[in-house]
Amino acid sequence: MRQSKMLVPTLKENPSDADIASHQLLVRAGYIRQLASGIYTLLPLGKRVLSKIEKVIREEMDRSGAQEMLLSALQPAELWQESGRWYTYGPELMRMNDRHNREFALGATHEEAMTSIIRDEIGSYKKLPMTLYQIQNKFRDEKRPRFGLLRGREFLMKDAYSFNESYESLDESYQMMFDAYCRIFERLGLNYRAVIADSGAMGGKETHEFMVLSDVGEDVIAYSDTSKYAANVEMAPVVQTYEKSAETPLEKEKVATPDQKTMQEVADYLDHGLDQGLKSIMFEVDDKYVLVVTRGDHEVNDVKVKNLYDAKVVELASEEDTKRLMGAGFGSLGPIDAPEEVEVVADHAVEAMVNITCGANDEGFHYKNVTPGNDFAPDRYADMRFIEEGDPSPDGKGIIQFARGIEVGHVFKLGSFYAENMGATFLDNSGKSQTMVMGSYGIGVSRTLAAMVEQFHDDQGIVWPNQVAPYQVHVLSLNPKKEEQRVLADKIYADLLAEGLEVLYDDRPERAGVKFADSDLIGIPVRIIVGKKAGEEIVEMKRRDSDSKEELSYDSVVEEIKNQLA
Amino acid sequence: MRQSKMLVPTLKENPSDADIASHQLLVRAGYIRQLASGIYTLLPLGKRVLSKIEKVIREEMDRSGAQEMLLSALQPAELWQESGRWYTYGPELMRMNDRHNREFALGATHEEAMTSIIRDEIGSYKKLPMTLYQIQNKFRDEKRPRFGLLRGREFLMKDAYSFNESYESLDESYQMMFDAYCRIFERLGLNYRAVIADSGAMGGKETHEFMVLSDVGEDVIAYSDTSKYAANVEMAPVVQTYEKSAETPLEKEKVATPDQKTMQEVADYLDHGLDQGLKSIMFEVDDKYVLVVTRGDHEVNDVKVKNLYDAKVVELASEEDTKRLMGAGFGSLGPIDAPEEVEVVADHAVEAMVNITCGANDEGFHYKNVTPGNDFAPDRYADMRFIEEGDPSPDGKGIIQFARGIEVGHVFKLGSFYAENMGATFLDNSGKSQTMVMGSYGIGVSRTLAAMVEQFHDDQGIVWPNQVAPYQVHVLSLNPKKEEQRVLADKIYADLLAEGLEVLYDDRPERAGVKFADSDLIGIPVRIIVGKKAGEEIVEMKRRDSDSKEELSYDSVVEEIKNQLA
């Protein structure tokens, strides 16, 4: 394509509303424009990259045996009422009325629509398992759309749904999708982790998020420095490697700690380390109260509280409650003499401690020389803390590191939530009616595009890998007013097209500096520069991902470019 | 794909709401399902065909130099207010509010969104002309959605927009799109006509509709039996071939025609043919009154009235108005002694008539032996009637025939309506600010799919041409319980896949009759039947578009199928 005729509106300055590289560069390099808050137009360059990402996804989905469909964005409210999500989804679900005043949702996901089809069309175990997918626009009315394509209100998604006759079968479908996702993100060249995630409130069991590592990610993940292990930081179990302290337990002693409010203040006041104190936090877990105690330098993990009690809701207890039940406010809580209606659960690390400090449940007082087991016995010990960098990896391989991640994919064992609510049943091989089991599997396609820019850019612009670059070769004629430059560039452009290569040809009457800057912004892998030596039929070749340039004679251009792209 | 594992829910009976073949067959053969009125899910087979149609469209759009983009469905109301369509589009435009109560439209088309981008990004004649397109879902809240994919509320469309510096440039862009559309519909194998159409109220000048000939079409087109000429029936000019009657004009005579209300009744009463009478119809044309007279056997064409006066609104005058102005009701109107405030325009055919009958503007009376020119002189003669079958073709080649058509494409010279309302200007080569000129070009992608079924089906089901068939080969194993049939069919299936062919493999444990019926319904071009002679490695081959069958030995299957598909 001749750049002079293409819609590639590059900008010199970063747009004022763009805080992260992908948002800045996609706008500046002419890939996207915002139409309204969180709503973007893919310009020709952006659409080309998006289509290439789609193609990779489609190929791997097809290879996995999933069947492509195309569902509508408009979905009758009745479907969402059947699943219950009409009432629980909140304002993120975009709703509207048609001319007959019937209510519709714009699909945020398609569990309901897909389940209704399968419920109506599939009645026998013989047709199961079946995995169906589509690549289609989704609508979510985000409260604060931001980061360009990373969090928009209308965005392209690949969503897939498996329908299974059993949980064992779901395990298999899940694994097939998991493997397909790995192939997809590997083919895209992304540095990603498949991360064990929280299955949340959907009733599902197992779930992985596919995270592209990036400092702008909204989630923190804990991963092993040597294995594939990765988990959302709140999901990683802590390996128990504590050894009981050899110290001789002393008599516990109540001491005044006037005006010492934080753990750190108390430790300093009593002149010991944070790890010699006990952190005590009270939670309201559904309808009971739980006092969680950890070592002072550890953080209580509320997801672990929730999972330990298989609870629906976990909240910090109010200070009013702690005073009423424990006799003290937040700063002076401790496990000693906790009342019966408060369950005490201690992290495994606590069991190894001797002669430590804890709150005395008396405003302004602490106990010192407390030894768990001697001075109090928790109702149970469990893994209650957040994993930390430097902890051993839960898979036994390597050491935990932290990184931020952008969620680009999600595989999820839904279980029978939708099938039950919507009556999706089948006859098993003994003729008995059973409820289907489902999985759902999503990839944010436009988000993946943005995530790729986060991983593939430098200070000058985007640095696309070949497999998704909008074009493979960027031909620059530095001064097309000079006959010999124009003629040679035209010839090379035609040659490369004839070879079936995708070529962007900067034939614009712009200064060389503008062309170089735009070319760096746009980020096409290989660049051919037709300049002063055009009369000798000599051009320069430069890869976008390297600083070195190479002179080539016209005759060798096609072959050399093929080498570079191979 | 193994049919046993594929979502192909075939039905024996036509769905009760389906009146036309494409709707019936696409549902029965398992290509589509309705989710809500006018809203359809493309099942795997349907999506495969849709993708192939998309691919043809995309290739030809790219070849024409158009650039693909992807716009959003959600569009802020402000854009539609700028163009004015927010107020004029009516209830077909789907509207909604977001969580901040801002108004949005769901894109019915994308003139506004596209114009806003070009307005913001293109400022110089150097970038023009530019044609941009997308393939994307459109939303129109049809009052009566019907005919399955032919008239839905959410549907896939290819829409393109050209931005031009002049009307001459628009002519070129228009022609490029016109040619691309011809290539698309030819590649799809459709029997279509590019039909001259009414440019309607949009201020545009030239427009063609691409019509697939079909009895279920909603429009009537007039086309030449020997040339490419075709027009919407109201748009076709009538070639003037009338010769003045040689009869000697007689004295006009006023006669009573009591209770004779219609043209036919008056003609019978006065004992002459319909073509010896004059039809007189009064219109309100913007703010003036026009009496249109045609030969009694001709139909007045109100689009020609509108175009003759370049009018915004043309309506039949009320009987009250005709009585007040002409002194008589509808049945007795005539051009003789029409008052000055009523303009009389006569069709060219009238000028050739002698001694004819017309209303006397006196209830229950007609004149006979009237001769135009002698007894009245119309303000002007013009082409005022509908073309008829048997008329000469306006291009001078052949005779006009009528057919019904399904509109699958539309090319339209928009002019500067949007650019003016939205301020899309550019600097011309003398540095002067000019308003852009635009064209818009649409193809109903999902509608084209349905139109193809209308042209490619028989009583048993769909008969796909190779280029869009969901699969190229349908392998049927008639009794997979028999080891030798299953093994041979498996082998053939694997062989064909290895050759890169698209194969649907009916491996279901169903009766042979069910398999044949489903295969006819689905309509894959070539069928391989593995049956009783499987032990001898002999199979049958049958084309879907022919009744003859052929026995093949296993060895020759791959080659023979390649021949069939070549």
Side-chain angles (χ1 to χ4, degrees), chain B residues 51-68 131-135 158-160 173-189 192 210 411 441 443 467:
Chain B
S51 295
K52 295 192 175 188
I53 296 173
E54 270 184 61
K55 184 163 180 283
V56 169
I57 293 173
R58 190 168 274 123
E59 285 172 3
E60 295 302 336
M61 293 307 292
D62 291 345
R63 180 180 305 184
S64 79
Q67 301 168 48
E68 187 170 6
T131 300
L132 303 155
Y133 80 98
Q134 62 170 346
I135 298 179
K158 188 286 301 173
D159 48 327
S173 295
Y174 184 90
Q175 190 62 44
M176 277 167 63
M177 281 298 110
F178 186 99
D179 293 344
Y181 278 33
C182 291
R183 292 195 302 270
I184 289 164
F185 296 119
E186 271 153 30
R187 281 182 63 180
L188 295 177
Y192 75 98
F210 286 77
V411 291
Y441 316 94
I443 291 179
Q467 64 273 28

Short mmCIF file of all heavy atoms in Angstrom, two decimals, chain B residues 51-68 131-135 158-160 173-189 192 210 411 441 443 467:
data_model
loop_
_atom_site.label_atom_id
_atom_site.label_comp_id
_atom_site.label_asym_id
_atom_site.label_seq_id
_atom_site.Cartn_x
_atom_site.Cartn_y
_atom_site.Cartn_z
N SER B 51 -18.18 -16.84 6.36
CA SER B 51 -16.75 -16.48 6.28
C SER B 51 -16.25 -16.53 4.84
O SER B 51 -15.42 -15.72 4.44
CB SER B 51 -15.92 -17.42 7.14
OG SER B 51 -16.24 -17.25 8.49
N LYS B 52 -16.76 -17.50 4.07
CA LYS B 52 -16.30 -17.59 2.68
C LYS B 52 -16.83 -16.43 1.85
O LYS B 52 -16.12 -15.91 0.98
CB LYS B 52 -16.72 -18.93 2.09
CG LYS B 52 -16.02 -20.07 2.80
CD LYS B 52 -16.17 -21.39 2.09
CE LYS B 52 -15.32 -22.43 2.83
NZ LYS B 52 -15.25 -23.70 2.13
N ILE B 53 -18.04 -16.03 2.12
CA ILE B 53 -18.58 -14.86 1.41
C ILE B 53 -17.77 -13.62 1.81
O ILE B 53 -17.37 -12.82 0.96
CB ILE B 53 -20.08 -14.67 1.73
CG1 ILE B 53 -20.87 -15.88 1.19
CG2 ILE B 53 -20.60 -13.37 1.14
CD1 ILE B 53 -22.33 -15.88 1.59
N GLU B 54 -17.50 -13.48 3.11
CA GLU B 54 -16.67 -12.37 3.59
C GLU B 54 -15.33 -12.33 2.88
O GLU B 54 -14.83 -11.26 2.53
CB GLU B 54 -16.38 -12.55 5.09
CG GLU B 54 -17.37 -11.93 6.01
CD GLU B 54 -16.93 -12.09 7.47
OE1 GLU B 54 -15.85 -11.59 7.82
OE2 GLU B 54 -17.67 -12.75 8.23
N LYS B 55 -14.74 -13.50 2.71
CA LYS B 55 -13.41 -13.56 2.11
C LYS B 55 -13.44 -13.04 0.67
O LYS B 55 -12.57 -12.26 0.27
CB LYS B 55 -12.92 -15.02 2.15
CG LYS B 55 -11.50 -15.22 1.66
CD LYS B 55 -10.97 -16.58 2.12
CE LYS B 55 -9.54 -16.79 1.63
NZ LYS B 55 -9.47 -17.17 0.20
N VAL B 56 -14.45 -13.44 -0.08
CA VAL B 56 -14.57 -12.94 -1.46
C VAL B 56 -14.73 -11.42 -1.45
O VAL B 56 -14.08 -10.71 -2.21
CB VAL B 56 -15.78 -13.62 -2.16
CG1 VAL B 56 -16.09 -12.94 -3.48
CG2 VAL B 56 -15.53 -15.11 -2.36
N ILE B 57 -15.58 -10.94 -0.57
CA ILE B 57 -15.82 -9.50 -0.50
C ILE B 57 -14.52 -8.77 -0.13
O ILE B 57 -14.14 -7.78 -0.76
CB ILE B 57 -16.92 -9.17 0.53
CG1 ILE B 57 -18.27 -9.73 0.04
CG2 ILE B 57 -17.01 -7.67 0.79
CD1 ILE B 57 -19.39 -9.62 1.06
N ARG B 58 -13.84 -9.29 0.88
CA ARG B 58 -12.61 -8.64 1.36
C ARG B 58 -11.56 -8.60 0.24
O ARG B 58 -10.92 -7.58 0.02
CB ARG B 58 -12.11 -9.41 2.57
CG ARG B 58 -10.99 -8.75 3.34
CD ARG B 58 -10.76 -9.43 4.67
NE ARG B 58 -11.63 -8.90 5.72
CZ ARG B 58 -12.46 -9.61 6.44
NH1 ARG B 58 -12.57 -10.93 6.26
NH2 ARG B 58 -13.21 -9.04 7.37
N GLU B 59 -11.40 -9.72 -0.46
CA GLU B 59 -10.40 -9.76 -1.54
C GLU B 59 -10.69 -8.73 -2.62
O GLU B 59 -9.79 -8.05 -3.09
CB GLU B 59 -10.34 -11.17 -2.14
CG GLU B 59 -9.61 -12.17 -1.25
CD GLU B 59 -9.72 -13.61 -1.75
OE1 GLU B 59 -10.32 -13.82 -2.83
OE2 GLU B 59 -9.22 -14.51 -1.05
N GLU B 60 -11.96 -8.62 -2.98
CA GLU B 60 -12.28 -7.68 -4.07
C GLU B 60 -12.25 -6.23 -3.59
O GLU B 60 -11.92 -5.33 -4.36
CB GLU B 60 -13.62 -8.04 -4.70
CG GLU B 60 -13.63 -9.40 -5.40
CD GLU B 60 -12.57 -9.49 -6.51
OE1 GLU B 60 -12.14 -8.45 -7.06
OE2 GLU B 60 -12.16 -10.63 -6.84
N MET B 61 -12.58 -6.01 -2.33
CA MET B 61 -12.46 -4.64 -1.80
C MET B 61 -10.99 -4.24 -1.76
O MET B 61 -10.62 -3.14 -2.16
CB MET B 61 -13.08 -4.55 -0.41
CG MET B 61 -14.58 -4.73 -0.36
SD MET B 61 -15.50 -3.65 -1.48
CE MET B 61 -15.21 -2.07 -0.70
N ASP B 62 -10.15 -5.14 -1.27
CA ASP B 62 -8.72 -4.85 -1.20
C ASP B 62 -8.17 -4.60 -2.61
O ASP B 62 -7.38 -3.68 -2.83
CB ASP B 62 -7.96 -5.99 -0.51
CG ASP B 62 -8.30 -6.08 0.98
OD1 ASP B 62 -8.88 -5.11 1.52
OD2 ASP B 62 -8.00 -7.10 1.61
N ARG B 63 -8.58 -5.43 -3.54
CA ARG B 63 -8.10 -5.28 -4.91
C ARG B 63 -8.47 -3.90 -5.48
O ARG B 63 -7.74 -3.32 -6.26
CB ARG B 63 -8.68 -6.39 -5.79
CG ARG B 63 -8.23 -6.31 -7.24
CD ARG B 63 -8.82 -7.41 -8.09
NE ARG B 63 -8.53 -8.73 -7.54
CZ ARG B 63 -8.86 -9.88 -8.12
NH1 ARG B 63 -9.52 -9.85 -9.27
NH2 ARG B 63 -8.58 -11.02 -7.55
N SER B 64 -9.62 -3.40 -5.05
CA SER B 64 -10.08 -2.10 -5.56
C SER B 64 -9.32 -0.95 -4.89
O SER B 64 -9.53 0.21 -5.25
CB SER B 64 -11.57 -1.94 -5.31
OG SER B 64 -11.81 -1.56 -3.96
N GLY B 65 -8.48 -1.27 -3.92
CA GLY B 65 -7.72 -0.21 -3.24
C GLY B 65 -8.39 0.33 -1.99
O GLY B 65 -7.86 1.23 -1.34
N ALA B 66 -9.55 -0.21 -1.63
CA ALA B 66 -10.22 0.23 -0.40
C ALA B 66 -9.44 -0.31 0.80
O ALA B 66 -8.82 -1.37 0.73
CB ALA B 66 -11.65 -0.27 -0.37
N GLN B 67 -9.47 0.44 1.90
CA GLN B 67 -8.72 0.08 3.10
C GLN B 67 -9.67 -0.40 4.19
O GLN B 67 -10.64 0.28 4.50
CB GLN B 67 -7.94 1.31 3.62
CG GLN B 67 -6.97 1.88 2.59
CD GLN B 67 -6.44 3.23 3.00
OE1 GLN B 67 -6.01 3.42 4.14
NE2 GLN B 67 -6.47 4.18 2.09
N GLU B 68 -9.35 -1.54 4.77
CA GLU B 68 -10.25 -2.09 5.79
C GLU B 68 -10.00 -1.46 7.16
O GLU B 68 -8.86 -1.25 7.58
CB GLU B 68 -10.09 -3.61 5.90
CG GLU B 68 -11.15 -4.20 6.83
CD GLU B 68 -11.22 -5.72 6.80
OE1 GLU B 68 -10.38 -6.35 6.15
OE2 GLU B 68 -12.14 -6.26 7.46
N THR B 131 -10.93 5.45 -0.01
CA THR B 131 -12.11 4.63 0.22
C THR B 131 -11.81 3.68 1.37
O THR B 131 -10.80 2.98 1.36
CB THR B 131 -12.51 3.84 -1.04
OG1 THR B 131 -12.79 4.77 -2.09
CG2 THR B 131 -13.75 2.99 -0.80
N LEU B 132 -12.68 3.69 2.36
CA LEU B 132 -12.49 2.90 3.58
C LEU B 132 -13.67 1.95 3.74
O LEU B 132 -14.80 2.31 3.39
CB LEU B 132 -12.40 3.84 4.77
CG LEU B 132 -11.26 4.87 4.63
CD1 LEU B 132 -11.55 6.11 5.45
CD2 LEU B 132 -9.94 4.25 5.03
N TYR B 133 -13.40 0.77 4.23
CA TYR B 133 -14.52 -0.16 4.41
C TYR B 133 -14.35 -0.96 5.69
O TYR B 133 -13.28 -0.96 6.31
CB TYR B 133 -14.67 -1.09 3.21
CG TYR B 133 -13.72 -2.28 3.17
CD1 TYR B 133 -14.13 -3.54 3.61
CD2 TYR B 133 -12.42 -2.13 2.69
CE1 TYR B 133 -13.26 -4.62 3.56
CE2 TYR B 133 -11.56 -3.21 2.63
CZ TYR B 133 -11.98 -4.46 3.07
OH TYR B 133 -11.13 -5.53 3.02
N GLN B 134 -15.42 -1.61 6.08
CA GLN B 134 -15.38 -2.54 7.20
C GLN B 134 -16.42 -3.62 6.97
O GLN B 134 -17.35 -3.45 6.18
CB GLN B 134 -15.66 -1.81 8.52
CG GLN B 134 -17.05 -1.18 8.54
CD GLN B 134 -17.44 -0.65 9.91
OE1 GLN B 134 -16.82 -0.95 10.91
NE2 GLN B 134 -18.50 0.13 9.95
N ILE B 135 -16.25 -4.73 7.66
CA ILE B 135 -17.25 -5.80 7.66
C ILE B 135 -17.66 -5.95 9.11
O ILE B 135 -16.85 -6.36 9.95
CB ILE B 135 -16.70 -7.10 7.08
CG1 ILE B 135 -16.31 -6.89 5.61
CG2 ILE B 135 -17.73 -8.22 7.21
CD1 ILE B 135 -15.73 -8.13 4.93
N LYS B 158 -21.02 -5.27 4.86
CA LYS B 158 -19.79 -4.63 4.42
C LYS B 158 -20.21 -3.22 4.04
O LYS B 158 -21.06 -3.04 3.16
CB LYS B 158 -19.20 -5.38 3.22
CG LYS B 158 -17.82 -4.91 2.80
CD LYS B 158 -17.76 -3.59 2.08
CE LYS B 158 -18.58 -3.59 0.81
NZ LYS B 158 -18.66 -2.24 0.19
N ASP B 159 -19.68 -2.23 4.73
CA ASP B 159 -19.99 -0.87 4.31
C ASP B 159 -18.69 -0.13 4.00
O ASP B 159 -17.68 -0.29 4.69
CB ASP B 159 -20.83 -0.11 5.34
CG ASP B 159 -20.32 -0.22 6.77
OD1 ASP B 159 -19.76 -1.27 7.14
OD2 ASP B 159 -20.48 0.75 7.54
N ALA B 160 -18.74 0.62 2.92
CA ALA B 160 -17.56 1.37 2.48
C ALA B 160 -17.97 2.81 2.22
O ALA B 160 -19.14 3.09 1.94
CB ALA B 160 -16.99 0.75 1.21
N SER B 173 -14.36 6.81 -8.00
CA SER B 173 -14.46 5.91 -6.85
C SER B 173 -15.71 5.03 -6.96
O SER B 173 -15.68 3.83 -6.66
CB SER B 173 -14.52 6.70 -5.54
OG SER B 173 -13.31 7.40 -5.34
N TYR B 174 -16.79 5.66 -7.38
CA TYR B 174 -18.06 4.95 -7.56
C TYR B 174 -17.89 3.80 -8.56
O TYR B 174 -18.30 2.67 -8.31
CB TYR B 174 -19.10 5.95 -8.04
CG TYR B 174 -20.51 5.44 -8.19
CD1 TYR B 174 -21.39 5.50 -7.12
CD2 TYR B 174 -20.98 4.90 -9.39
CE1 TYR B 174 -22.70 5.06 -7.24
CE2 TYR B 174 -22.27 4.46 -9.52
CZ TYR B 174 -23.14 4.54 -8.45
OH TYR B 174 -24.43 4.09 -8.58
N GLN B 175 -17.22 4.12 -9.66
CA GLN B 175 -17.05 3.09 -10.69
C GLN B 175 -16.16 1.95 -10.17
O GLN B 175 -16.43 0.78 -10.47
CB GLN B 175 -16.43 3.71 -11.95
CG GLN B 175 -16.43 2.77 -13.15
CD GLN B 175 -17.84 2.37 -13.57
OE1 GLN B 175 -18.74 3.21 -13.63
NE2 GLN B 175 -18.08 1.08 -13.80
N MET B 176 -15.14 2.28 -9.37
CA MET B 176 -14.30 1.23 -8.81
C MET B 176 -15.09 0.31 -7.90
O MET B 176 -14.92 -0.92 -7.91
CB MET B 176 -13.12 1.84 -8.06
CG MET B 176 -11.97 2.22 -9.00
SD MET B 176 -10.76 3.29 -8.17
CE MET B 176 -10.18 2.17 -6.89
N MET B 177 -15.94 0.90 -7.09
CA MET B 177 -16.78 0.07 -6.21
C MET B 177 -17.78 -0.73 -7.05
O MET B 177 -18.00 -1.91 -6.80
CB MET B 177 -17.54 0.95 -5.21
CG MET B 177 -16.72 1.41 -4.03
SD MET B 177 -16.10 0.05 -2.99
CE MET B 177 -14.36 0.16 -3.37
N PHE B 178 -18.37 -0.07 -8.04
CA PHE B 178 -19.32 -0.76 -8.92
C PHE B 178 -18.67 -2.00 -9.53
O PHE B 178 -19.22 -3.10 -9.50
CB PHE B 178 -19.77 0.22 -10.01
CG PHE B 178 -20.86 -0.30 -10.90
CD1 PHE B 178 -22.18 0.06 -10.67
CD2 PHE B 178 -20.59 -1.15 -11.96
CE1 PHE B 178 -23.20 -0.42 -11.49
CE2 PHE B 178 -21.60 -1.65 -12.77
CZ PHE B 178 -22.90 -1.28 -12.54
N ASP B 179 -17.46 -1.81 -10.04
CA ASP B 179 -16.76 -2.94 -10.67
C ASP B 179 -16.42 -4.02 -9.65
O ASP B 179 -16.53 -5.21 -9.94
CB ASP B 179 -15.47 -2.44 -11.34
CG ASP B 179 -15.76 -1.51 -12.52
OD1 ASP B 179 -16.92 -1.51 -13.00
OD2 ASP B 179 -14.85 -0.77 -12.93
N ALA B 180 -16.01 -3.59 -8.45
CA ALA B 180 -15.70 -4.58 -7.41
C ALA B 180 -16.95 -5.38 -7.06
O ALA B 180 -16.89 -6.61 -6.87
CB ALA B 180 -15.15 -3.88 -6.16
N TYR B 181 -18.08 -4.71 -6.98
CA TYR B 181 -19.33 -5.41 -6.65
C TYR B 181 -19.67 -6.43 -7.73
O TYR B 181 -20.12 -7.54 -7.44
CB TYR B 181 -20.48 -4.41 -6.47
CG TYR B 181 -20.52 -3.75 -5.11
CD1 TYR B 181 -19.35 -3.49 -4.41
CD2 TYR B 181 -21.72 -3.40 -4.52
CE1 TYR B 181 -19.38 -2.89 -3.17
CE2 TYR B 181 -21.77 -2.81 -3.27
CZ TYR B 181 -20.59 -2.55 -2.60
OH TYR B 181 -20.63 -1.97 -1.36
N CYS B 182 -19.48 -6.04 -9.00
CA CYS B 182 -19.76 -6.99 -10.09
C CYS B 182 -18.86 -8.22 -9.94
O CYS B 182 -19.32 -9.35 -10.06
CB CYS B 182 -19.51 -6.33 -11.44
SG CYS B 182 -20.73 -5.05 -11.84
N ARG B 183 -17.57 -7.98 -9.62
CA ARG B 183 -16.67 -9.13 -9.47
C ARG B 183 -17.10 -10.01 -8.30
O ARG B 183 -17.08 -11.24 -8.39
CB ARG B 183 -15.23 -8.64 -9.22
CG ARG B 183 -14.60 -7.94 -10.42
CD ARG B 183 -13.08 -7.82 -10.27
NE ARG B 183 -12.67 -7.09 -9.08
CZ ARG B 183 -12.47 -5.77 -9.01
NH1 ARG B 183 -12.65 -5.01 -10.09
NH2 ARG B 183 -12.08 -5.20 -7.89
N ILE B 184 -17.53 -9.38 -7.22
CA ILE B 184 -17.97 -10.15 -6.03
C ILE B 184 -19.16 -11.03 -6.37
O ILE B 184 -19.15 -12.24 -6.12
CB ILE B 184 -18.31 -9.19 -4.87
CG1 ILE B 184 -17.04 -8.55 -4.31
CG2 ILE B 184 -19.10 -9.91 -3.78
CD1 ILE B 184 -17.28 -7.33 -3.44
N PHE B 185 -20.18 -10.44 -6.95
CA PHE B 185 -21.40 -11.23 -7.18
C PHE B 185 -21.19 -12.25 -8.29
O PHE B 185 -21.82 -13.30 -8.30
CB PHE B 185 -22.59 -10.31 -7.42
CG PHE B 185 -22.91 -9.47 -6.20
CD1 PHE B 185 -22.87 -8.10 -6.24
CD2 PHE B 185 -23.21 -10.10 -5.00
CE1 PHE B 185 -23.12 -7.34 -5.10
CE2 PHE B 185 -23.46 -9.34 -3.85
CZ PHE B 185 -23.42 -7.96 -3.90
N GLU B 186 -20.27 -11.94 -9.21
CA GLU B 186 -19.94 -12.94 -10.23
C GLU B 186 -19.18 -14.11 -9.60
O GLU B 186 -19.47 -15.27 -9.89
CB GLU B 186 -19.12 -12.31 -11.36
CG GLU B 186 -20.02 -11.77 -12.46
CD GLU B 186 -19.39 -10.61 -13.22
OE1 GLU B 186 -18.14 -10.56 -13.35
OE2 GLU B 186 -20.16 -9.72 -13.67
N ARG B 187 -18.22 -13.79 -8.74
CA ARG B 187 -17.47 -14.88 -8.09
C ARG B 187 -18.38 -15.75 -7.25
O ARG B 187 -18.15 -16.95 -7.10
CB ARG B 187 -16.36 -14.30 -7.19
CG ARG B 187 -15.13 -13.86 -7.97
CD ARG B 187 -14.05 -13.33 -7.05
NE ARG B 187 -13.55 -14.33 -6.12
CZ ARG B 187 -12.59 -14.10 -5.21
NH1 ARG B 187 -12.04 -12.89 -5.15
NH2 ARG B 187 -12.18 -15.04 -4.39
N LEU B 188 -19.40 -15.14 -6.68
CA LEU B 188 -20.34 -15.93 -5.87
C LEU B 188 -21.28 -16.75 -6.76
O LEU B 188 -22.02 -17.59 -6.27
CB LEU B 188 -21.14 -15.01 -4.94
CG LEU B 188 -20.30 -14.31 -3.86
CD1 LEU B 188 -21.17 -13.36 -3.04
CD2 LEU B 188 -19.61 -15.32 -2.94
N GLY B 189 -21.25 -16.48 -8.06
CA GLY B 189 -22.06 -17.25 -8.98
C GLY B 189 -23.52 -16.82 -9.02
O GLY B 189 -24.39 -17.58 -9.46
N TYR B 192 -27.53 -11.86 -10.98
CA TYR B 192 -27.85 -10.57 -10.39
C TYR B 192 -27.93 -9.51 -11.47
O TYR B 192 -27.50 -9.73 -12.61
CB TYR B 192 -26.78 -10.17 -9.36
CG TYR B 192 -25.51 -9.69 -10.02
CD1 TYR B 192 -25.26 -8.33 -10.18
CD2 TYR B 192 -24.58 -10.60 -10.53
CE1 TYR B 192 -24.11 -7.89 -10.83
CE2 TYR B 192 -23.45 -10.18 -11.17
CZ TYR B 192 -23.21 -8.82 -11.32
OH TYR B 192 -22.09 -8.39 -11.97
N PHE B 210 -27.67 -3.61 -6.31
CA PHE B 210 -27.32 -4.91 -6.87
C PHE B 210 -28.38 -5.91 -6.41
O PHE B 210 -28.53 -6.15 -5.21
CB PHE B 210 -25.91 -5.33 -6.45
CG PHE B 210 -24.85 -4.56 -7.18
CD1 PHE B 210 -24.56 -3.25 -6.83
CD2 PHE B 210 -24.18 -5.11 -8.26
CE1 PHE B 210 -23.61 -2.51 -7.52
CE2 PHE B 210 -23.23 -4.39 -8.97
CZ PHE B 210 -22.94 -3.09 -8.60
N VAL B 411 -24.65 0.91 -4.23
CA VAL B 411 -23.61 1.93 -4.36
C VAL B 411 -24.31 3.26 -4.56
O VAL B 411 -25.33 3.34 -5.25
CB VAL B 411 -22.63 1.63 -5.52
CG1 VAL B 411 -21.77 0.41 -5.17
CG2 VAL B 411 -23.35 1.41 -6.83
N TYR B 441 -21.21 2.68 0.03
CA TYR B 441 -21.25 1.44 -0.73
C TYR B 441 -21.47 0.28 0.22
O TYR B 441 -20.61 -0.01 1.05
CB TYR B 441 -19.93 1.25 -1.49
CG TYR B 441 -19.43 2.52 -2.17
CD1 TYR B 441 -18.52 3.36 -1.52
CD2 TYR B 441 -19.91 2.90 -3.43
CE1 TYR B 441 -18.07 4.54 -2.12
CE2 TYR B 441 -19.47 4.08 -4.03
CZ TYR B 441 -18.56 4.89 -3.38
OH TYR B 441 -18.12 6.06 -3.96
N ILE B 443 -22.81 -3.82 1.18
CA ILE B 443 -23.23 -5.18 0.80
C ILE B 443 -23.78 -5.84 2.06
O ILE B 443 -23.13 -5.83 3.11
CB ILE B 443 -22.07 -6.02 0.25
CG1 ILE B 443 -21.62 -5.50 -1.12
CG2 ILE B 443 -22.48 -7.49 0.12
CD1 ILE B 443 -20.46 -6.27 -1.72
N GLN B 467 -17.51 -22.51 -4.27
CA GLN B 467 -16.74 -21.40 -3.69
C GLN B 467 -17.26 -20.94 -2.34
O GLN B 467 -16.54 -20.26 -1.62
CB GLN B 467 -16.62 -20.24 -4.69
CG GLN B 467 -17.93 -19.56 -5.07
CD GLN B 467 -18.63 -20.24 -6.25
OE1 GLN B 467 -18.47 -21.44 -6.47
NE2 GLN B 467 -19.41 -19.48 -6.98
#
